[in-house]
Amino acid sequence: MNYDYLVVGAGLFGAAFARQMTDAGKKVLVIEKRDHIAGNVYTEEIEGIQVHRYGAHIFHTSDQEIWDYVNRFADFNRYTNSPVANYHGNLYSLPFNMYTFNRMWGVTTPQEAETIISHQRQAAGITQPRNLEEQAISLVGTDIYEKLIKGYTEKQWGRPCTELPAFIIRRLPVRFTFDNNYFNDRYQGIPMGGYTQMVANMLEGIEVRLEEDYLRNKQMWDETARKVIYTGPVDAYFHNCYGPLSYRSIRFETEVLDTPNFQGNAVINYTDRETPYTRIIEHKWFEFGTQPKTVISREYSLEACPGAEPYYPVNDETNNTLYQKYRELALNEPKTLFGGRLGEYRYYDMDKVLYSALELAKKEISTEDI
């Protein structure tokens, strides 16, 4: 065994864990199935623009430790996430705020907006939300739910809102102010020069091998290290022995346009059910670009069938119950630890991914010090 740790996956989780263990004096090898590092936060330069190949990623956190950590590896700009919703050509502010309520109902005061939402909530008869639809109506009423949530969410998850868990929508900001900042976190921004460079800085001095499929040669790779950190799909690790977990994937249509400005905003969500894509990303606005051309990506949500990249765990009751079976197997693996969105079958924001990786590294270091 030539290494202390084999890290499977060169995304945020794997890079952070590898960095911490290397700094602690351990010998680490990182292998990655793709032909590049950085996982789903990978950015590539096109026409001088940092393009988010696997969808928009805006870093945000209220955790001082995590913010200080990422700033070791990148300088962040002051980008503020202020997406726009397009419903049949009508534009609304996201997150839901007084601009949204004014556009929807013509109201100008918080009291008027709160009264309308309260009446719609009461008319729906919702006391204890049992699913995403009921949770959304209890937050913003039926009008906003029908126009700005229902169609978008059902496209994104491929399921009726009545079959989706309520917690998916609970973190959606609702403000009775004119604040267009989507996140409530203390810090947010985009690493200047792109996420790929940030992850490359995290992996500096660490051996990384690309286009290596761990599961295809699992026995060989296991023999190279004392422990394995696995960040791929947990069900695939166990050969889907209990059946496959459900994931959502995304198909991207990316094109270069010979215009300096296509939509005037980095993110526009298409919330009607008829538009086949969920949103259009105009990448240059993440870094306040002045390039003569622009690059846009249309995102189409789909079920992650074999061959499609898994992006989001479908954390409904059925899948969570199935995951618990895989989790029991994972806990009994003699030398493998599981982490990240796919390894733990959990929807993680980027700061939470890093926190989880740093905590695992701290635990490993303290265990070996005993």
Side-chain angles (χ1 to χ4, degrees):
M1 293 187 179
N2 299 320
Y3 302 92
D4 296 302
Y5 290 91
L6 171 71
V7 177
V8 181
L12 281 179
F13 189 101
F17 183 88
R19 176 77 273 149
Q20 296 307 100
M21 301 312 295
T22 299
D23 289 350
K26 304 302 178 183
K27 191 174 182 182
V28 180
L29 170 64
V30 179
I31 62 172
E32 168 59 52
K33 185 177 180 180
R34 293 170 173 171
D35 63 358
H36 60 75
I37 62 170
N40 285 355
V41 302
Y42 175 73
T43 52
E44 59 184 333
E45 186 173 310
I46 301 175
E47 296 291 340
I49 299 166
Q50 289 295 325
V51 173
H52 299 221
R53 183 190 287 186
Y54 303 101
H57 288 85
I58 299 97
F59 194 88
H60 58 98
T61 188
S62 293
D63 189 316
Q64 185 69 55
E65 179 185 1
I66 297 300
W67 183 244
D68 290 343
Y69 185 77
V70 293
N71 275 271
R72 286 176 50 191
F73 309 105
D75 293 324
F76 282 73
N77 67 17
R78 58 176 180 81
Y79 178 80
T80 299
N81 191 29
S82 300
V84 173
N86 183 318
Y87 180 77
H88 292 308
N90 294 309
L91 302 181
Y92 299 87
S93 290
L94 295 175
F96 305 129
N97 59 30
M98 285 303 300
Y99 290 114
T100 318
F101 306 144
N102 174 264
R103 182 84 167 98
M104 184 70 65
W105 301 311
V107 300
T108 58
T109 68
Q111 292 75 22
E112 291 174 301
E114 289 175 340
T115 297
I116 291 174
I117 291 173
S118 178
H119 286 166
Q120 292 187 358
R121 183 190 302 121
Q122 291 174 14
I126 299 169
T127 55
Q128 185 67 37
R130 297 166 298 177
N131 53 52
L132 189 148
E133 177 173 284
E134 294 183 355
Q135 181 67 63
I137 293 173
S138 71
L139 286 172
V140 291
T142 51
D143 290 343
I144 290 177
Y145 167 70
E146 291 290 340
K147 290 185 177 181
L148 304 185
I149 296 176
K150 188 175 190 293
Y152 181 89
T153 303
E154 292 186 348
K155 284 189 295 185
Q156 185 179 34
W157 292 100
R159 292 157 176 77
C161 288
T162 52
E163 295 179 11
L164 291 168
F167 77 83
I168 292 177
I169 205 79
R170 283 187 192 133
R171 66 181 194 149
L172 187 69
V174 179
R175 303 193 185 105
F176 294 93
T177 64
F178 291 90
D179 181 1
N180 275 340
N181 182 1
Y182 191 88
F183 299 122
N184 291 316
D185 289 305
R186 184 178 177 185
Y187 306 109
Q188 72 175 292
I190 304 287
M192 296 168 64
Y195 284 100
T196 303
Q197 185 57 56
M198 183 185 83
V199 175
N201 292 340
M202 294 171 71
L203 291 169
E204 185 177 357
I206 300 171
E207 184 178 355
V208 179
R209 301 185 195 178
L210 301 177
E211 297 184 273
E212 296 287 2
D213 190 335
Y214 168 75
L215 293 180
R216 185 172 295 174
N217 297 290
K218 184 177 180 300
Q219 182 177 349
M220 179 199 77
W221 288 116
D222 285 348
E223 292 173 355
T224 66
R226 292 191 301 107
K227 284 190 176 181
V228 175
I229 307 301
Y230 177 79
T231 67
V234 61
D235 50 339
Y237 181 94
F238 293 107
H239 309 288
N240 297 316
C241 63
Y242 294 127
L245 292 163
S246 296
Y247 302 88
R248 295 296 288 174
S249 188
I250 305 173
R251 179 173 63 86
F252 299 93
E253 287 183 356
T254 298
E255 57 180 318
V256 178
L257 302 178
D258 193 15
T259 178
N261 190 351
F262 173 75
Q263 64 185 18
N265 201 51
V267 182
I268 294 187
N269 293 352
Y270 286 77
T271 60
D272 59 272
R273 197 67 178 87
E274 293 74 24
T275 301
Y277 42 85
T278 55
R279 61 183 184 176
I280 297 179
I281 306 300
E282 189 167 7
H283 300 269
K284 69 189 302 180
W285 303 128
F286 290 129
E287 295 191 88
F288 316 106
T290 58
Q291 296 87 350
K293 295 185 179 183
T294 195
V295 181
I296 65 168
S297 297
R298 294 178 178 87
E299 297 186 6
Y300 299 80
S301 184
L302 63 152
E303 202 73 11
C305 56
E309 197 70 41
Y311 284 86
Y312 305 108
V314 181
N315 291 122
D316 57 17
E317 184 176 351
T318 299
N319 281 287
N320 285 343
T321 299
L322 180 58
Y323 166 65
Q324 290 305 315
K325 294 183 178 181
Y326 284 116
R327 185 172 183 272
E328 288 299 316
L329 293 179
L331 290 173
N332 289 304
E333 278 294 282
K335 62 181 289 181
T336 302
L337 301 172
F338 295 76
R341 180 180 290 191
L342 303 180
E344 298 178 68
Y345 199 69
R346 181 183 302 179
Y347 186 90
Y348 269 134
D349 284 330
M350 286 183 286
D351 63 327
K352 300 302 189 296
V353 169
L354 289 171
Y355 179 84
S356 178
L358 297 183
E359 288 299 300
L360 180 60
K362 288 177 185 176
K363 182 178 179 181
E364 284 297 296
I365 293 169
S366 64
T367 299
E368 296 210 0
D369 286 342
I370 295 176

